[in-house]
């Protein structure tokens, strides 16, 4: 919402400087976007008169001008085709900075002729792109006067961002009222006294609604004008509109714009001679056509309200007038509309038709339902003043909606909610200045809300009004009281685990990424069928059209991008949500990671190696161990989801029904589908499937029991079928004597060669830890024999001799 | 005795000249061995009278000790020399780089969330959560944003095709629906923060379709606007690490708070840079207000009894300001160079007690 200082001063008697006005507006909730003071920006330019313009002796396109300026006569060489004797222009002296070109002027010789200063075009003044000629000022401009003033652009322009609740401040008067309440001046009285109509309007107004739809337009005020001249607007009116970026069109249209921005009272003027009979306000007919003022035709539906004559929809209520009955330079008789339209219907209409307008913006926020007649009277006076003619009596249909019930405000409520003690006198002063009326009641006041403040609905709203005008800055800051000296932990188990997982993975050398929760559906399809419920209705792009079923595709894609940037080796992880459906319980938290390229890069010591499934397994197992799970009991199976390599991936479980993690090579078909080069391994840890930590009585750890006796270790190598998992060997060996056998470690795996096809050798080191006495050779041999027979029995392997 | 002195000189001299351990051994055998010279002289003492034998014996024993000591000393000198020579051969090039290690990083958003949790945790807040896919009752209606409300239109909401109890499914546009879920699920007093992902259908230099917010909610029977100010001033100063950071509260509008305030912090713009602290400029960093009585009522609580404040803050924005990260969009590109540069070390765990790591 833009307005100028002079426009504001029409409503507010104030001598506050623009800077204070701007600061106050921001603090009371009308946030300043910008303040432009062109008079200041253009201060070095003044009005000058060309005494004589002669042809330059050496250049066809240049003229040598004798120029009368504030500082006396100077000679200026000018290239503008319109530079001529007697004209008034904008003069920039030597030393002035030219905003449009970024140059500081210097006295110069142009083709051998001295030039002091410059006559400026609009582009050089940085006012527009106009550069066909220099600015020509009206004949009454005074030589030496500031150019900005002579051009009518010396007004300070404020741009304020108005929040959706403050429709009343979409007019200058509303802003002035807030400023007056905030102590920046006095709100000038408004002259909306009735203009006496001299005839009865030949056009009547009918509100054609049922009781169910009467809210579409409950109240309509019209007035007929005859014999007007739709002239060009006077200078002051044009300047005002130009200053806020509106194009002056004709006096009638400009007056409606002035009412819109000055009083938040959108009006419409119909050329009465183009109307066919009376005005009917009604719902549009299904598929009814409407040609709007913007030249486009719209197809309407029965949710929309139109102002129609006997033949056509002539305006779309609260949104835009029609082309057919618009006012032109030849308009003589006019029908003025000052109406009240339903905010909701206006919003829906505008949204359905994708039609934005200053009127819609205001109606959908709600305009003052008690200002229809006043608005019509003010506009009438302007029309008669500028366009002449005669006004009819008002034509009134419907009635204003009943005023809202008053709100109770308790004396102490400003303090208990707003946190500041404001005196009762000050509370009354502030609310009164904003247009509220207060009556004393037993506990406080009964407050009547002004008709223009549809945002005020409860006591808290009144507290806000008082405190914002009194000043948020004056509310004392109070620390939050503490229930206990020391706070309880802020995180629950799941949250704590997530934080820990991040730190563990980063400590293992993985780099945390955060990727979008959505992704391309084509890639999601590589991760299983996608429910339709996860396809965005309005994706930001076709590349981000479904919610991700897994974090992996985003990480794989990121790895591909990094490889394309010349970083093929890298490990990324993300801890975040994935989605199986659109219900809250379908969202789960997963820690996923990928390792691409070399796990150990080539270095002086050796050739390094590629990342493989065991790196991914290491990530998964380390995380599970860090979270306190007994990883020695993990079961590994080869039934990972289809996006993993079927022969090089695994699933980790403690409870057979609940997978805890997947790891392995990413399926080559997935990589090909995503156009990413391998090798690439991945893991997914399903954090929501983790068992809760065991309930413990306190933080004490079990006592440490150290054996006084030497551990002994023995090596065994078994030859067995290549398909037997190594894990089976370890389990069998461990199971021999869980008390005595402290550790079983695989130290060699070898396949093929002399063993023959389909055979492999697994060598284990078994550590025995006696706790009561040193073992004898015979005891050790007995255990060793049991290990051999247990492994053979469990795996079919035999001891390698 | 003179003879012994000569002998000592001769033997010690030869010890000193010995070329190696073998030569030393030869000397030992030749002098102290069973058939050695000194052994021979000792044997020859038998022919002397007791007086002379004692004196000569003592002298010979001294000589024997001296020779043995000289041999030991020379032996250890030679061993040292041999070790030194070996060490010289073991020399490595210490200028070679360390073996390749990959240093992991924590994403700036995670670090920022951890920092925010550390500060609000100190103030007695606990962390609450809710789903990213919401229904529009939780995301809008319960928060006093009815359908067709301009605030709902301005939010650029992502929609999903489904419905729940007649409400459209949306990607939550803010973390505020967790206010509703918390008030519906728990009894006051409440003091929660909600860090999380949020979504709006907007993408340009300053907007990302996904971003992060942290929501705050305090509900009890006495918390007022002065507490809101106290809590948020405390937070801003602790987060930015500026003890006297100017914090300004401006009137504003949010459908779910009344009164509402936007919060600015002081800053200074100089030479294209921005510094947080005292200065002539203000930077908006969060929105806040007293929870609208309608919202409290929508959650089944009695607005005549309960009141409190809520706030919402963009986490990317505050991390960009604190850590000088210039572009929002880079947060989600997963560029390893960016992550390594702007990310944080694994062990850099935010703590108000420990303070920032050096």
């Amino acid at each position: 919402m833009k307005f100028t200082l002079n426009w504001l001063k029409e409503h507010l008697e104030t001598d506050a400087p623009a800077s204070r006005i701007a600061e106050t507006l921001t603090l009371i909730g009308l946030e300043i976007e910008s303040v432009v003071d062109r008079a200041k920006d253009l201060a070095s330019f003044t009005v000058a008169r060309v005494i004589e313009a002669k042809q330059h002796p050496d250049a066809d396109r240049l003229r040598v001008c004798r120029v009368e300026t504030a500082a006396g006569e100077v000679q200026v060489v000018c290239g503008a085709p319109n530079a001529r004797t007697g004209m008034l222009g904008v003069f920039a002296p030597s030393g002035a900075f030219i905003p449009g070109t970024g140059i500081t002027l210097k006295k110069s010789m142009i083709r051998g002729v001295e030039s002091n200063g410059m006559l400026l075009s609009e582009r050089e003044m940085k006012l527009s792109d106009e550069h066909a000629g220099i600015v020509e000022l009206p004949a009454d401009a005074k030589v030496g006067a500031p150019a900005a003033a002579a051009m009518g652009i010396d007004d300070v322009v404020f741009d304020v961002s108005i929040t959706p609740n403050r429709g009343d401040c979409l007019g200058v008067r509303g802003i002035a009222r807030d400023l007056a309440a905030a102590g920046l001046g006095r709100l000038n009285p408004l002259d909306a006294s009735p203009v006496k109509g001299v005839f009865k309007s030949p056009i009547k107004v009918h509100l054609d609604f049922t009781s169910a739809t009467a809210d579409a337009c409950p109240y309509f005020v019209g007035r007929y004008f005859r014999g007007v001249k739709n002239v060009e607007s006077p200078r002051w009116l044009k300047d005002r509109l130009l200053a806020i970026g509106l194009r002056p069109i004709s006096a009638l249209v400009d007056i409606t714009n002035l009412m819109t921005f000055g009083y938040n009272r959108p009006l419409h003027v119909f050329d009465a001679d183009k109307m066919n009979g009376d005005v009917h306000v009604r719902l549009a007919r299904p598929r009814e056509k409407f040609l709007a003022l913007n030249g486009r035709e719209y197809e309407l539906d029965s949710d929309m309200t139109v102002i129609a004559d006997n033949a056509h929809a002539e305006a779309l209520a609260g949104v835009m007038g029609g082309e057919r009955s618009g006012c032109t330079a030849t308009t003589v008789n006019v029908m003025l509309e000052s109406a009240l339209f339903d905010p909701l219907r206006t919003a829906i209409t505008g949204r359905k038709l994708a039609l934005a307008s200053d009127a819609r913006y205001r109606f959908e926020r709600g305009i003052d339902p008690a200002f229809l007649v006043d608005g019509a009277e003010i506009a009438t006076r302007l029309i008669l003043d500028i366009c002449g003619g005669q006004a009819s009596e008002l034509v009134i249909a419907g009635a204003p909606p009943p005023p809202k019930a008053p709100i109770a405000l308790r004396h102490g409520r400003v303090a208990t909610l707003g946190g500041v003690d404001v005196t009762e006198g000050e509370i009354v002063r502030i609310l009164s200045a904003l247009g509220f009326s207060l009556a004393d009641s037993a506990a406080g006041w009964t407050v009547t809300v002004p008709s223009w403040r549809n945002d005020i609905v409860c006591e808290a709203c009144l507290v806000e009004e008082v405190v914002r005008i009194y000043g948020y800055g004056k509310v004392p800051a109070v620390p939050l009281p503490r229930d206990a000296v020391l706070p309880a932990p802020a995180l629950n188990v799941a949250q704590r685990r997530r934080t820990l997982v991040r730190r563990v993975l980063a400590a293992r050398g993985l780099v945390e990424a955060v990727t979008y929760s959505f992704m391309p559906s084509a890639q999601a399809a590589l991760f299983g069928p996608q429910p339709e419920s996860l396809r965005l209705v309005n994706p930001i792009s076709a590349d981000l059209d479904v919610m991700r079923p897994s974090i992996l595709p985003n990480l794989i894609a990121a790895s591909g991008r990094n490889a394309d940037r010349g970083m093929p080796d890298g490990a990324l992880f993300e801890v975040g949500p994935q989605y199986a459906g659109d219900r809250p319980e379908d969202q789960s938290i997963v820690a996923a990671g990928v390792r691409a390229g070399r796990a150990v890069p080539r270095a002086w010591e050796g050739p390094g190696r590629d990342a493989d499934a065991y790196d991914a397994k290491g990530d998964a197992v380390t995380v599970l161990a860090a979270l306190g799970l007994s990883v020695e009991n993990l079961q590994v199976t080869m039934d990972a989801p289809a996006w993993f390599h079927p022969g090089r991936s695994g699933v980790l479980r403690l409870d057979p029904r609940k997978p805890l993690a997947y790891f392995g090579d990413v399926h080559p078909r997935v990589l090909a589908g995503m156009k990413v080069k391998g090798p690439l391994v991945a893991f997914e840890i399903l954090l929501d499937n983790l068992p809760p930590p065991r309930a413990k009585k306190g933080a004490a750890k079990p006592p440490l029991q150290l054996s006084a006796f030497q551990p002994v270790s023995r090596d065994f190598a078994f030859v067995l079928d290549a398909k037997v998992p190594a894990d089976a060997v370890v389990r069998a060996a461990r199971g021999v004597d869980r008390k005595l056998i402290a550790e079983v470690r695989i130290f060699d795996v070898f396949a093929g060669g002399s063993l023959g096809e389909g055979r492999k050798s697994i060598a284990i080191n078994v550590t025995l830890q006696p706790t009561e006495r040193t073992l004898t050779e015979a005891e050790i041999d007995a255990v060793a024999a049991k290990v051999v027979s247990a492994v053979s029995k469990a795996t079919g392997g035999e001891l390698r001799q | 005795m003179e003879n012994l002195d000569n002998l000592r000189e001769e033997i010690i001299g030869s010890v000193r000249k010995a070329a190696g351990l073998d030569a030393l051994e030869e000397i030992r055998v030749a002098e102290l061995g069973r058939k050695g010279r000194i052994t021979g002289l000792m044997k020859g003492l038998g022919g002397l009278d007791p007086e002379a034998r004692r004196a000569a014996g003592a002298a010979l024993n001294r000589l024997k000790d001296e020779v043995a000591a000289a041999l030991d000393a020379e032996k250890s000198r030679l061993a040292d020399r041999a070790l030194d020579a070996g060490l010289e051969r073991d020399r490595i090039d210490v200028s070679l780089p360390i073996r390749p290690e990959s240093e992991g990083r924590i994403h700036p958003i995670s670090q920022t969330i951890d920092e925010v949790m550390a500060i609000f945790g100190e103030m007695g807040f606990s962390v609450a959560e809710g789903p990213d896919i919401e229904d529009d009752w939780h995301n809008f209606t319960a928060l006093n944003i009815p359908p067709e409300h301009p605030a709902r239109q301005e939010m650029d909401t992502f929609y999903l095709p489904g419905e729940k109890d007649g409400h459209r499914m949306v990607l939550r546009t803010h973390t505020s629906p967790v206010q509703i879920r918390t008030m519906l699920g728990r009894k006051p007093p409440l003091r929660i923060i909600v860090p999380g992902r949020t979504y709006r259908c907007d993408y340009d230099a300053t907007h990302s379709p996904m971003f992060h917010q942290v929501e705050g909610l305090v509900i009890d029977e006495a918390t007022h606007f002065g507490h809101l100010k106290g809590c948020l001033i405390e937070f801003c100063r602790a987060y930015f690490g500026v003890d006297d950071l100017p914090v300004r509260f401006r009137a504003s509008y949010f459908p779910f708070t009344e009164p509402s305030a936007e919060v600015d912090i002081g800053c200074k713009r100089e030479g294209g840079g921005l510094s947080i602290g005292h200065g002539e400029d203000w930077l908006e960093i969060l929105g806040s207000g007293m929870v609208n009585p309608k919202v409290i009522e929508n959650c089944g609580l009695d607005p005549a009894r309960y009141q409190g404040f809520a706030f919402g803050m963009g986490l990317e924005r505050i991390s960009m300001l604190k850590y000088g990260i210039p572009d929002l969009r880079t947060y989600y590109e997963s560029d390893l160079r960016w992550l390594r540069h702007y990310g944080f070390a694994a062990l850099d765990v935010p703590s108000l007690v420990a303070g920032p790591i050096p």
Side-chain angles (χ1 to χ4, degrees):
Chain A
M1 164 77 192
K2 282 185 180 176
F3 64 94
T4 70
L5 183 57
N6 285 331
W7 199 342
L8 177 70
K9 284 182 173 176
E10 183 186 317
H11 297 284
L12 182 72
E13 193 183 308
T14 184
D15 45 18
S19 58
R20 179 147 173 253
I21 291 171
E23 197 194 337
T24 305
L25 286 172
T26 290
L27 287 174
I28 63 177
L30 307 171
E31 190 181 355
I32 285 282
E33 300 270 318
S34 68
V35 180
V36 175
D37 186 352
R38 289 221 195 98
K40 214 159 137 193
D41 299 344
L42 304 174
S44 50
F45 308 140
T46 53
V47 179
R49 192 162 59 88
V50 179
I51 302 167
E52 185 190 26
K54 283 193 308 193
Q55 188 60 42
H56 188 290
D58 282 334
D60 289 349
R61 297 203 175 165
L62 296 179
R63 262 161 288 275
V64 181
C65 303
R66 288 170 53 213
V67 179
E68 182 192 351
T69 75
E73 185 181 323
V74 295
Q75 177 171 289
V76 173
V77 177
C78 181
N82 63 334
R84 61 183 189 277
T85 302
M87 74 172 295
L88 288 159
V90 176
F91 175 70
S94 288
F97 176 77
I98 308 300
T101 59
I103 292 169
T104 300
L105 285 184
K106 274 188 289 206
K107 183 159 117 179
S108 59
M109 299 292 282
I110 299 176
R111 296 252 178 147
V113 178
E114 188 177 298
S115 183
N116 293 294
M118 196 172 174
L119 291 163
L120 302 177
S121 69
E122 287 194 6
R123 188 165 85 189
E124 283 153 348
M125 295 174 79
K126 218 174 180 177
L127 296 176
S128 73
D129 287 335
E130 182 57 50
H131 195 54
I134 53 177
V135 174
E136 293 194 42
L137 295 174
D140 59 356
K142 267 219 167 82
V143 170
M151 294 175 75
I153 54 169
D154 57 338
D155 212 349
V156 182
V157 180
F158 299 88
D159 191 357
V160 185
S161 142
I162 303 294
T163 52
N165 60 324
R166 292 306 302 277
D168 66 304
C169 285
L170 292 170
V172 180
R173 189 161 181 85
I175 292 171
R177 186 184 295 111
D178 259 35
L179 283 170
L184 254 64
R186 200 172 58 87
L187 188 68
N188 289 329
L190 186 63
D191 179 13
S193 54
V195 176
K196 197 172 161 39
V198 295
F199 61 99
K200 263 200 161 15
S201 167
I203 295 181
K204 293 186 184 56
V205 175
H206 310 275
L207 304 182
D208 296 346
F209 297 99
T210 65
S211 59
T213 56
D215 62 324
C217 176
Y219 189 28
F220 189 111
V221 174
R223 180 167 248 165
Y224 192 94
F225 294 80
R226 65 186 180 203
V228 302
K229 278 205 185 103
N230 192 12
V231 292
E232 199 177 314
S233 289
R235 176 69 187 274
W236 67 267
L237 176 49
K238 286 205 279 188
D239 283 351
R240 203 157 266 191
L241 298 181
L242 282 168
I244 62 166
L246 292 178
R247 193 166 51 93
I249 293 165
S250 65
L252 288 169
V253 176
D254 295 350
I255 287 167
T256 62
N257 279 330
L258 185 79
M259 293 299 296
T260 298
F261 288 88
Y263 299 91
N264 189 34
R265 179 54 265 189
L267 302 172
H268 187 62
V269 282
F270 299 90
D271 186 327
D273 295 332
K274 295 175 191 160
M275 300 281 281
N276 184 348
D278 283 352
V279 164
H280 294 269
V281 190
R282 57 168 170 82
L283 295 183
R285 301 185 180 106
R287 318 199 61 179
E288 182 171 5
K289 297 279 194 299
F290 169 66
L291 183 62
L293 265 176
N294 62 9
R296 294 180 51 191
E297 190 178 73
Y298 294 90
E299 190 177 284
L300 311 183
D301 67 35
S302 55
D303 286 340
M304 303 174 182
T305 310
V306 295
I307 297 118
D309 57 16
N310 289 333
H312 303 103
E314 297 295 352
L316 194 55
V319 182
M320 195 170 275
E323 177 77 20
R324 200 185 341 262
S325 56
C327 289
T328 64
T330 59
T331 296
V332 178
N333 299 314
V334 172
M335 186 69 187
L336 172 73
E337 164 216 310
S338 172
L340 183 62
F341 301 114
D342 176 43
L344 203 58
R345 291 169 185 274
T346 310
I348 294 171
T349 302
R351 189 163 48 77
K352 276 188 185 167
L353 301 178
L355 184 52
S357 71
D358 292 322
R360 169 191 164 190
Y361 196 74
R362 286 165 173 76
F363 277 110
E364 66 189 13
R365 281 158 178 74
I367 57 139
D368 183 353
F371 195 68
L372 275 62
V373 169
D374 285 356
E377 298 292 5
I378 295 168
T380 299
R381 208 164 268 119
L382 285 163
I383 292 171
L384 295 179
D385 282 356
I386 296 170
C387 307
Q390 290 178 317
S392 79
E393 292 167 7
L394 291 177
V395 189
I396 296 180
K404 281 184 300 185
I407 299 170
L409 174 61
R410 288 165 285 169
H411 280 139
R413 195 53 183 149
V414 171
T416 57
L417 184 65
V420 61
D421 281 314
V422 182
T423 62
E424 290 178 15
E426 181 66 359
I427 290 172
V428 171
R429 186 201 68 76
I430 289 170
L431 290 176
S432 306
L434 290 171
F436 295 82
S437 52
L438 291 83
D440 288 329
S441 69
W445 300 276
T446 303
V447 182
T448 304
V449 179
S451 55
W452 57 86
R453 289 301 300 272
N454 61 1
D455 59 315
I456 304 293
V457 297
C458 64
E459 191 182 36
C461 302
L462 297 174
V463 171
E464 174 174 71
E465 291 306 294
V466 172
V467 181
R468 98 184 150 87
I469 297 295
Y470 182 74
Y472 279 5
K474 291 192 228 162
V475 178
V478 186
L480 272 183
R482 289 183 166 229
D483 295 340
V485 174
L486 296 176
L491 304 186
N492 63 26
V493 169
Q495 293 158 349
R496 221 171 301 159
R497 281 178 160 174
R498 246 175 272 161
T499 308
L500 183 64
V501 168
R502 287 197 177 90
R503 303 273 166 190
V504 168
L505 289 170
R508 281 179 63 79
L510 287 92
V511 175
E512 189 189 12
V514 174
T515 68
Y516 289 142
S517 301
F518 17 67
M519 59 173 300
S521 50
Q523 291 183 4
L526 298 168
F527 290 74
Q530 289 304 292
E532 269 309 298
S533 62
L534 291 179
R535 183 179 294 274
L536 293 174
V537 172
N538 54 335
I540 193 108
S541 77
D543 275 353
L544 299 171
D545 58 342
V546 294
M547 300 308 286
R548 63 188 189 190
S550 157
I551 303 175
L552 283 185
N554 281 350
L555 293 179
I556 293 169
S559 281
R561 288 196 303 273
N562 279 312
D564 293 344
R565 292 184 193 111
M567 293 166 294
D569 306 337
L572 290 171
F573 77 95
E574 178 171 357
V575 181
Q578 67 181 33
Y579 310 86
D582 64 358
R583 306 289 112 154
E585 61 274 17
D586 296 331
Q587 176 174 333
S588 56
I589 300 290
V590 174
V594 297
R595 289 178 176 270
R598 312 288 277 170
V600 179
R602 187 169 67 135
W604 53 267
E605 198 183 35
R609 64 169 179 83
D610 284 347
D612 62 24
Y614 299 111
D615 291 311
K617 184 180 181 185
D619 293 327
V621 172
T622 307
V623 165
L624 295 176
L627 296 180
L629 272 64
S630 49
V631 290
E632 63 276 14
N633 295 331
L634 282 173
Q635 294 154 20
V636 191
T637 51
M638 292 194 70
D639 51 345
W643 49 90
F644 284 100
H645 184 308
R648 294 183 166 215
S649 64
V651 182
L652 300 175
R653 290 182 178 85
L654 284 175
D655 172 343
R657 288 157 303 179
K658 266 194 186 164
L660 300 180
Y662 311 127
F663 65 88
D665 287 27
V666 173
H667 199 295
R669 202 181 297 125
V670 169
L671 291 182
M674 297 188 63
K675 300 192 172 59
V676 173
K677 276 209 201 98
L680 197 133
V681 299
F683 63 87
E684 293 178 284
I685 305 165
L686 315 176
L687 295 176
D688 292 352
N689 279 359
L690 264 47
R694 253 170 268 147
K696 278 192 290 190
K697 285 202 185 96
K701 294 168 184 282
L704 173 64
Q705 284 172 345
L706 293 175
S707 171
F709 306 98
Q710 276 284 355
V712 286
S713 77
R714 288 288 182 276
D715 290 350
F716 306 85
F718 295 95
V719 176
L720 27 72
D721 190 285
K723 285 205 172 115
V724 176
D727 194 36
V729 175
V730 174
R731 276 172 198 282
R734 276 230 319 255
V736 165
D737 186 339
R738 291 209 164 263
K739 237 179 119 192
L740 187 59
I741 295 178
E743 193 190 0
V744 177
R745 195 157 47 82
I746 297 172
F747 67 89
D748 187 49
V749 176
F750 168 74
S754 59
L755 298 173
E757 190 68 18
R759 308 287 290 166
K760 70 176 171 186
S761 152
I762 290 181
I764 58 173
N765 172 273
V766 178
T767 303
L768 310 179
Q769 177 61 66
T771 53
E772 281 148 20
R773 58 187 171 79
T774 306
L775 295 175
T776 64
E777 271 309 310
E779 285 168 326
I780 296 170
D781 287 347
V783 175
K786 278 195 211 165
V787 166
V788 171
S789 79
V791 170
S792 300
K793 196 172 160 218
T795 68
E798 57 202 39
L799 196 65
R800 194 174 171 199
Q801 300 300 337
Chain B
M1 290 316 237
E2 274 170 38
N3 285 345
L4 282 189
D5 286 343
N6 289 340
L7 187 58
R8 177 187 298 116
E9 234 165 80
E10 183 205 326
I11 296 172
I12 305 262
S14 68
V15 166
R16 298 241 162 92
K17 273 182 252 156
L21 292 174
D22 293 348
L24 283 180
E25 183 59 15
E26 271 171 34
I27 296 169
R28 191 190 65 78
V29 171
E31 306 298 343
L32 302 176
R34 235 166 353 114
K35 291 177 182 162
R37 260 202 291 182
I38 298 174
T39 317
L41 288 171
M42 298 281 258
K43 281 180 188 156
L45 290 176
L48 296 179
D49 63 70
E51 191 72 7
R53 193 169 59 201
R54 202 176 312 124
L60 268 177
N61 267 329
R62 219 164 30 240
L63 175 63
K64 193 177 151 192
D65 289 349
E66 282 168 2
V67 168
L71 279 167
D72 280 353
E74 189 59 22
K75 214 169 172 177
S76 108
R77 204 177 61 81
L78 281 174
D80 281 353
R81 202 168 349 144
L83 179 64
D84 286 349
L87 292 182
E88 183 56 32
R89 281 193 304 276
D90 290 346
R91 175 190 275 273
I92 60 165
D93 179 359
V94 295
S95 73
L96 277 174
I98 61 167
R99 293 191 180 81
E101 287 175 15
S102 51
E103 196 194 354
R105 300 306 260 176
I106 294 290
H107 193 281
I109 273 297
S110 296
Q111 186 75 5
T112 302
I113 289 174
D114 284 354
E115 290 174 45
V116 167
M117 291 193 303
I119 297 168
F120 283 112
E122 281 294 319
M123 290 194 257
F125 286 77
S126 61
V127 176
E129 293 167 307
D132 295 5
I133 301 175
E134 270 292 2
D135 57 78
D136 68 2
W137 186 82
H138 283 93
N139 194 71
F140 292 121
T141 314
L143 287 160
N144 197 31
I145 314 173
E148 303 302 336
H149 189 284
R152 193 185 283 212
Q153 303 307 318
E154 283 166 14
M155 285 240 193
D156 298 312
T157 312
F158 280 114
Y159 290 95
L160 290 160
E163 283 190 355
K164 187 179 175 192
D165 309 328
H167 300 289
R168 287 187 79 176
M169 302 310 286
V170 299
L171 294 188
R172 65 178 182 191
T173 57
H174 44 193
T175 39
S176 308
V178 185
Q179 284 188 31
I180 304 300
R181 291 182 177 275
T182 305
M183 281 191 271
L184 284 170
R186 285 157 55 182
K187 281 266 160 273
L190 300 171
R191 214 178 267 199
I192 55 151
I193 56 164
V194 186
R197 293 177 176 222
T198 48
Y199 307 87
R200 292 191 197 176
C201 191
D202 201 354
Y203 187 65
D204 58 35
T206 55
H207 296 91
S208 163
M210 183 185 91
F211 56 103
H212 292 74
Q213 280 190 345
V214 61
E215 189 83 7
L217 176 72
V218 174
I219 296 286
D220 53 31
E221 298 181 19
T223 291
H224 57 60
F225 193 74
H227 295 115
L228 177 156
K229 283 186 69 176
C231 171
L232 293 176
I233 291 172
E234 241 7 90
F235 168 78
C236 291
R237 292 182 176 168
Y239 175 78
F240 289 104
V242 180
D243 290 344
D244 57 350
L245 179 65
V247 182
R248 176 174 87 164
F249 292 76
R250 277 186 289 113
S252 189
Y253 168 73
F254 307 105
F256 32 95
T257 53
E258 190 83 43
S260 304
E262 277 188 307
V263 184
D264 300 338
I265 55 170
C267 71
K268 197 190 287 182
R269 285 170 226 268
E270 265 174 342
L274 179 88
S275 60
I276 305 292
H278 285 275
E280 65 287 351
D281 266 339
W282 294 99
L283 264 179
E284 180 187 322
I285 61 157
L286 67 99
S288 65
M290 301 306 295
V291 180
N292 192 309
K294 272 200 190 150
V295 175
I296 294 177
E297 197 181 323
N298 288 341
C299 298
L301 298 175
D302 178 5
R305 180 172 170 198
Y306 294 114
Q307 63 181 48
F309 67 80
F311 61 87
M313 181 163 38
L315 289 167
E316 284 82 356
R317 180 164 173 76
I318 62 169
S319 78
M320 286 167 78
L321 289 172
K322 182 169 178 176
Y323 295 111
I325 302 173
D327 189 346
L328 168 66
R329 291 172 294 190
T330 55
Y331 276 68
Y332 309 108
E333 286 172 0
S334 307
D335 184 328
L336 278 168
R337 296 163 300 181
W338 188 93
L339 294 169
R340 288 189 178 124
H341 181 79
Y342 288 112
F344 292 81
L347 297 181
D348 184 0
V349 182
S351 152
L352 290 192
V353 175
I357 61 165

